[in-house]
Amino acid sequence: MAVLEILAYPDPRLTQESQPVTEFDSALRAFVADLEETMRAGPGAVGIAAPQVGRVQRIVIIDCSGKKNLVSDHGRMVLINPEITEWEGYAVGREGCLSVPDFTGNVIRAERIMLEACNEYGEPLQFKFEGYEARAVQHEIDHLDGLLFLDRLVSRRNDLFKRKPYK
Amino acid sequence: MKRWYMLTVVGKDRPGIVAHVTAALYEGGCNLGEASMMRLGDSFTIMLMVQHQGTAKSLEQILETVIDSMDLHMHIDAIEGRLHQHLLPDVRITVFGADQPGIVAKITGALSNAGLHILNLESDVGGSDARPFYIMHIEGQAGAGLDALRSALQVAAGEGVETSLTAIDTLVG
Ligand SMILES: [Zn+2]
């Protein structure tokens, strides 16, 4: 086990598109263990994606269980080759990133998503995420597509209204 | 050694102020840091962190020509601060309603007593001279928790003022 070095923006490797995982072997699980240790070493991180440590493969880890008042909370998850199959609603929320030190910004994300992925043993999984957890998953999957939350920033000035529902 | 200054520039708004001021700073060998620049009324306002090798006086000399030619005013303070000292806000407050005397003092006073440290405030007046409305966005740190702020806001806002308070839980991943 080891804490891996996290790439920081503007490292060009963060903009690469990651490749699907094809071998679900012990080498993969060893890397996942290192990736998780790296995530837990970062202050307050709820997720991490393999390209953040320079491995351009479609692997992310999510764990929002330390947060309060979650609408959905699946605890610790290893999501390999994740695909979002459905999006619903949208919400503005504040994001930061292990790869973007000392900056946070507002980003619009879908409020509810359906996801298909495999775990580290290659077993297929299906999830329904909502709210903060859905945001974390979308943030990490962006990393797999070479995107950072910087690519999705919205202005601080005008879109902060908590919209009232239409009646 | 280069050190940081806070440069304030104010003047009647016209196109090109930012371009001209920052070009003069660049040609003078300065680095730029965090900034807030916006039109307020018919003025344009700049608050800008500038890193400069030399005194406040010599920074002023770098800017003199552009400031005079565009009919602007400037003010320069040496500051202890530097970059990468952001504080993370944990609460966002929006207030809007018919404009009334003292509304800002009343609401920010109540929030301050309830532990709010304001990190960013943007406000605007819309409507017309006859019927102005006021709108304010605040981001800050709730030193004594969100519930304290929530009740302070309720008491201070009163009739006809809409308020909302939302926790900012910054996602890091
Ligand atoms: Zn990230």
Side-chain angles (χ1 to χ4, degrees):
Chain A
M1 297 262 288
V3 172
L4 308 169
E5 190 197 340
I6 293 176
L7 305 183
Y9 179 80
D11 193 307
R13 285 172 291 178
L14 289 167
T15 63
Q16 285 176 278
E17 181 158 348
S18 291
Q19 299 306 308
V21 172
T22 51
E23 303 288 324
F24 293 84
D25 52 13
S26 58
L28 172 70
R29 289 185 283 279
F31 170 71
V32 165
D34 286 347
L35 189 64
E36 181 165 1
E37 196 178 342
T38 307
M39 174 182 86
R40 302 214 181 272
V46 295
I48 194 168
Q52 288 180 279
V53 297
R55 180 143 160 168
V56 283
Q57 279 192 299
R58 304 189 80 81
I59 304 166
V60 311
I61 302 174
I62 305 278
D63 186 356
C64 296
S65 60
K67 293 284 173 180
K68 283 176 270 180
N69 308 322
L70 294 183
V71 248
S72 79
D73 181 8
H74 292 78
R76 170 199 176 275
M77 289 169 284
V78 177
L79 303 174
I80 296 178
N81 303 337
E83 295 286 347
I84 298 175
T85 55
E86 280 178 50
W87 288 260
E88 201 184 289
Y90 71 90
V92 178
R94 184 67 63 101
E95 297 185 21
C97 181
L98 294 170
S99 300
V100 186
D102 192 46
F103 184 80
T104 65
N106 293 325
V107 180
I108 294 176
R109 302 282 187 190
E111 235 176 329
R112 284 170 292 279
I113 55 170
M114 301 282 285
L115 188 95
E116 290 176 5
C118 291
N119 65 13
E120 63 268 53
Y121 299 95
E123 297 158 352
L125 306 166
Q126 277 195 330
F127 297 94
K128 189 175 175 178
F129 298 118
E130 191 170 346
Y132 196 89
E133 200 177 38
R135 174 172 296 273
V137 170
Q138 290 168 82
H139 178 113
E140 299 312 333
I141 290 180
D142 264 359
H143 279 301
L144 304 182
D145 295 326
L147 294 172
L148 298 171
F149 77 95
L150 300 175
D151 294 298
R152 298 193 188 275
L153 285 180
V154 294
S155 134
R156 289 192 191 184
R157 188 173 166 82
N158 291 320
D159 46 27
L160 302 183
F161 262 110
K162 195 180 156 193
R163 287 170 184 82
K164 289 192 174 171
Y166 291 102
K167 282 171 190 156
Chain B
M1 198 194 92
K2 284 201 166 189
R3 63 158 308 162
W4 284 101
Y5 294 89
M6 189 64 74
L7 167 68
T8 309
V9 176
V10 180
K12 191 165 166 51
D13 188 28
R14 57 195 267 194
I17 293 176
V18 176
H20 284 95
V21 169
T22 54
L25 290 167
Y26 172 65
E27 281 153 23
C30 302
N31 297 323
L32 309 188
E34 297 162 28
S36 151
M37 308 190 191
M38 61 174 68
R39 183 182 157 105
L40 299 173
D42 72 344
S43 299
F44 195 77
T45 68
I46 297 177
M47 301 283 291
L48 172 61
M49 287 172 69
V50 176
Q51 197 182 33
H52 164 65
Q53 178 112 37
T55 61
K57 191 82 208 150
S58 64
L59 178 55
E60 212 173 293
Q61 281 160 1
I62 288 171
L63 288 162
E64 243 163 19
T65 311
V66 61
I67 293 290
D68 288 346
S69 72
M70 299 196 82
D71 208 15
L72 304 166
H73 305 280
M74 69 172 147
H75 180 83
I76 294 168
D77 291 302
I79 55 172
E80 293 301 318
R82 47 179 179 82
L83 298 180
H84 314 303
Q85 295 186 314
H86 289 115
L87 295 179
L88 266 189
D90 57 15
V91 64
R92 168 189 307 153
I93 295 166
T94 298
V95 176
F96 68 97
D99 199 12
Q100 44 186 278
I103 182 176
V104 183
K106 198 167 136 195
I107 287 173
T108 55
L111 292 171
S112 171
N113 287 336
L116 181 67
H117 177 191
I118 294 178
L119 302 177
N120 187 42
L121 185 153
E122 284 167 347
S123 71
D124 213 338
V125 179
S128 61
D129 281 337
R131 310 191 69 175
F133 69 87
Y134 183 81
I135 176 163
M136 172 163 70
H137 295 297
I138 297 174
E139 287 183 358
Q141 288 183 329
L146 295 190
D147 287 340
L149 292 180
R150 212 169 269 127
S151 35
L153 198 58
Q154 248 162 25
V155 174
E159 278 293 294
V161 178
E162 295 281 330
T163 65
S164 78
L165 184 151
T166 321
I168 302 177
D169 193 353
T170 302
L171 183 151
V172 178

